Structures are given as structure tokens and as C-alpha cells.
Amino acid sequence: MERIAVLTSGGDAPGMNACIRAVVRTALNNKMDIYGVERGYAGLVKGEITRLGTRSVSDMIHKGGTFLKTARCPEFKDIKVQQQAAEALSAFGIEGLVVIGGDGTFRGAKDLSDNFGIKVVGIPGTIDNDLSYTDYTVGFDTAVNTVLWAINNLRDTMHSHDRVCLLEVMGRKCGDIALYAGAAGGAEYVLVPEIPFDLDEISSSIKKSYLRGKTSNMIILAEGAGNRDEIAAYIKEKSGINVKVTNFGYIQRGGSPNMADRILAARFGYHAVEMLRNDGDSCAIGIRHNNVITVPFSEVANGDKKFDKRLYDIAHILSL
Ligand code: ADP
Ligand code: F6P
């Protein structure tokens, strides 16, 4: 394979630029032509494709976001729209495609591969860490550390004012950001979609902790676990203690990628190009037990993301 392209799709994640850099430089090192597609599938359909060189990715390794830009393109589920994408690739003579994104992006990749025979390799790039076949996705580690920074700051104020705080973090239906940031930040309560929780119990526990002299408490809520304002209002009503709500929002999605995400991005980007160079089948790249793996797109969605219940239990015991 001599000519390939790369795109980023879905929500941006720290490390996407480092990953594009790895794809570009690995391709060039193998004397392959490398093209960048702007704005994910939305740009691909419109033929927003440009040639990249080694300098295109200079000074990119440390930058958050994605210089190729990203987009949600709901119409890409339509096979006629996918056909336009296939035609755009063919017009540029592009034989293989690297997509960096989450499960939605991989569904689009599978369609391009199944319906039009395009060789596509998927690299997991999302802060959510919600893909079951891989231990980690590019961007997750940085996002968790950004949330941890927020928890540290909130702790100062909650402690100074004897307050209870509820911090909502992202993750779609996955509680990993909440779990890891909550465990590392010493949060008293971590509310995730994977584990049922009892707000009456939490309210009474917060009340009791006040009576024992513990006057500040931190609740981390994964966005998929419930409505932040309703939960805070319920706890306030039951415990008689005010709950201050913070929604951390997009701040956790930006920022310079940390070491873990840059290394993951480098390994994934390198392997993705190797797969295309060796004319391998379309697949998703992942990491398991620190080994880079490949799985067919048909297996990406098999099984629920494994939630680390042991870490959840340990975090709870340590927070009392
Ligand atoms: P992520 O890739 O992070 O999960 P999205 O769910 O927004 O983010 O998906 C990114 C893009 O992938 C969508 O905007 C759409 O273009 C494409 N996509 C999502 N689901 C499908 C699908 N079922 N079939 C084809 N393309 C899809
Ligand atoms: O998938 C990444 C993510 O940030 C999720 O955690 C969140 O639910 C979603 O994207 C937000 O999407 P949007 O960018 O459309 O607001």
C-alpha cells in the first residue's frame, strides 16, 4: 500500500495530535504518501483532503485537541453518504485509512470496510475509555489527571467552608473517569452507571459524618449515572446539608497530553500504519496488559466495558 490517509472523529481527546504525528512520520519513514482529512467523516464526504509532510506535524506532540479538526456526522450512517466518502478516497488514489475516535467512529470504519472494501484501521481516541476490547484509549489518562486537578482545588474550598460538593465528570455511559479520578482524589462517594447506588444511604452517611466532625465531603458523579441537580437536591432534602454542584464540562477534554497518552499515541499510530503497509485486514488497534493488539471491528462492541469493581470498593473503604 503506497497512499494512505488519517482523520480524527467524534469528541476530541488529548493525544490525538501526537497520534496523527505518529501516523504521518511512520508512513513517511516507509516512503508512503500520507494525506490528512479535515473534520472527520464530515470532511471526508466533502473531499477535504490534503497532503501532509513531516513538517505538517512539527510542534504538535504536546498540543491538545486535533489540528485536523473533528466533527459529528450523523448522516454517515447512510450508505449513500458513505459512498461519497469512498469516492473521495478513490479520487485521491488513497488505498487505506486510519481513523482516530471512539465506538461511533469505528462503526463508520466498519461500514467503509464492509461496504466498499476500503482498508481501515481504527485507533481508540476518546477520553471516555468506554471500549471493551482495549484497556485504555488515547486521552483518558490526561482527562483523569485534569479532573484530579479540579478535585484538588475543590477540596481546598470545600474544606475551608465545611461544604459538600458534587462534581460531574464526562464519560457517556462509562464510569471510568469518575472512578479513577475519584479514587485518586480521595472522593467520599463515586457515582457511576455500572454500580447501583442508594441516595438515602449516602444522605444519611453524609449527615452522620457531620456529627462525627467530618464536615466536608466530595461526591464524583459520572454523567451517565444521573442528573446532577436532582441528585444534589435529593441529598440536601434528606440530609439537611447543602450540596454545591460543579459541572466540569469541556475543560476535561482539552489540554496537553501527558506521558501515558503520548506514548500510547505513538505506539498506536506506528502499529496502525504497519497494519496498512503489510496489507492486513481492517481492524481496531488496542492495548491489553501493555501489549498492542488488533481485533476485527466486529469484535469491538462485544461485551460490556469491564468496570474495575475492586478499585471502586477500595476507594470506598479508604474514603471513610
Ligand atoms: P465517538 O467516535 O467518539 O464514539 P460519535 O459517537 O459521535 O463519537 O461517532 C463519531 C462519528 O462516527 C459520528 O458522527 C458518525 O459520523 C460516525 N458514526 C457513528 N455511528 C455510526 C454508525 N452506526 N454507522 C456509521 N457511522 C457512524
Ligand atoms: O465522547 C467524549 C464526550 O466528551 C463524552 O464524555 C460526552 O458525553 C460527549 O463527548 C459530549 O459530546 P459533545 O462534544 O457533543 O458535547
Side-chain angles (χ1 to χ4, degrees):
M1 194 171 285
E2 289 176 359
R3 185 169 290 187
I4 64 170
V6 57
L7 62 78
T8 46
S9 160
D12 69 312
M16 279 184 162
N17 280 324
C19 201
I20 299 166
R21 169 183 178 269
V23 169
V24 169
R25 298 247 165 109
T26 307
L28 294 173
N29 190 51
N30 287 301
K31 313 246 174 305
M32 297 162 94
D33 295 341
I34 173 78
Y35 285 75
V37 181
E38 293 212 351
R39 302 189 306 110
Y41 294 130
L44 181 57
V45 168
K46 295 200 167 138
E48 293 171 9
I49 300 171
T50 46
R51 182 92 183 254
L52 299 175
T54 193
R55 294 281 76 80
S56 313
V57 288
S58 295
D59 203 29
M60 280 296 163
I61 197 166
H62 63 296
K63 288 185 178 144
T66 158
F67 83 92
L68 285 177
K69 298 189 180 275
T70 183
R72 314 263 188 204
C73 176
E75 57 276 19
F76 201 69
K77 289 176 189 158
D78 182 343
I79 192 163
K80 290 195 210 90
V81 179
Q82 293 165 11
Q83 183 167 1
Q84 289 169 26
E87 283 165 5
L89 288 171
S90 160
F92 280 81
I94 293 166
E95 303 155 285
L97 179 66
V98 178
V99 299
I100 308 168
D103 59 335
T105 301
F106 287 4
R107 276 193 285 274
K110 183 175 185 305
D111 286 354
L112 274 179
S113 177
D114 291 352
N115 300 335
F116 301 96
I118 296 163
K119 289 279 170 68
V120 191
V121 177
I123 294 179
T126 164
I127 64 166
D128 299 337
N129 206 34
D130 58 351
L131 290 158
S132 56
Y133 77 95
T134 181
D135 291 344
Y136 296 107
T137 57
V138 172
F140 169 68
D141 202 286
T142 304
V144 167
N145 279 287
T146 306
V147 172
L148 195 52
W149 165 84
I151 292 176
N152 293 342
N153 282 20
L154 284 167
R155 271 189 170 282
D156 293 345
T157 299
M158 294 307 123
H159 191 69
S160 304
H161 285 264
D162 293 335
R163 279 178 180 168
V164 177
C165 163
L166 183 150
L167 173 67
E168 183 189 290
V169 299
M170 285 184 166
R172 283 208 176 147
K173 291 180 189 152
C174 179
D176 276 16
I177 296 177
L179 170 65
Y180 283 81
E188 279 74 18
Y189 307 96
V190 177
L191 311 186
V192 292
E194 293 87 346
I195 310 280
F197 50 88
D198 181 338
L199 289 181
D200 290 326
E201 239 173 55
I202 292 172
S203 308
S204 115
S205 157
I206 288 175
K207 201 171 172 183
K208 278 187 205 145
S209 74
Y210 259 70
L211 297 173
R212 316 196 291 271
K214 178 175 166 57
T215 52
S216 80
N217 277 282
M218 177 83 60
I219 305 165
I220 309 298
L221 171 71
E223 64 176 350
N227 180 287
R228 60 178 180 268
D229 294 321
E230 285 171 17
I231 290 174
Y234 191 90
I235 295 174
K236 184 182 171 188
E237 193 199 316
K238 289 283 168 179
S239 66
I241 296 162
N242 198 6
V243 179
K244 295 285 183 184
V245 176
T246 301
N247 177 20
F248 199 39
Y250 294 115
I251 300 166
Q252 70 206 281
R253 230 162 72 181
S256 181
N258 64 11
M259 179 276 287
D261 282 326
R262 293 185 201 192
I263 299 297
L264 200 57
R267 293 175 77 183
F268 283 170
Y270 173 85
H271 275 88
V273 175
E274 284 295 298
M275 284 302 291
L276 292 175
R277 192 170 74 85
N278 295 318
D279 287 323
D281 290 335
S282 291
C283 64
I285 304 254
I287 191 153
R288 253 187 236 152
H289 308 304
N290 203 26
N291 290 316
V292 174
I293 54 151
T294 59
V295 300
F297 282 120
S298 54
E299 285 175 23
V300 159
N302 285 356
D304 284 341
K305 173 83 195 167
K306 259 213 162 108
F307 184 77
D308 193 342
K309 175 74 166 49
R310 284 185 71 195
L311 178 61
Y312 177 87
D313 290 338
I314 290 169
H316 187 61
I317 289 164
L318 300 186
S319 71
L320 296 174

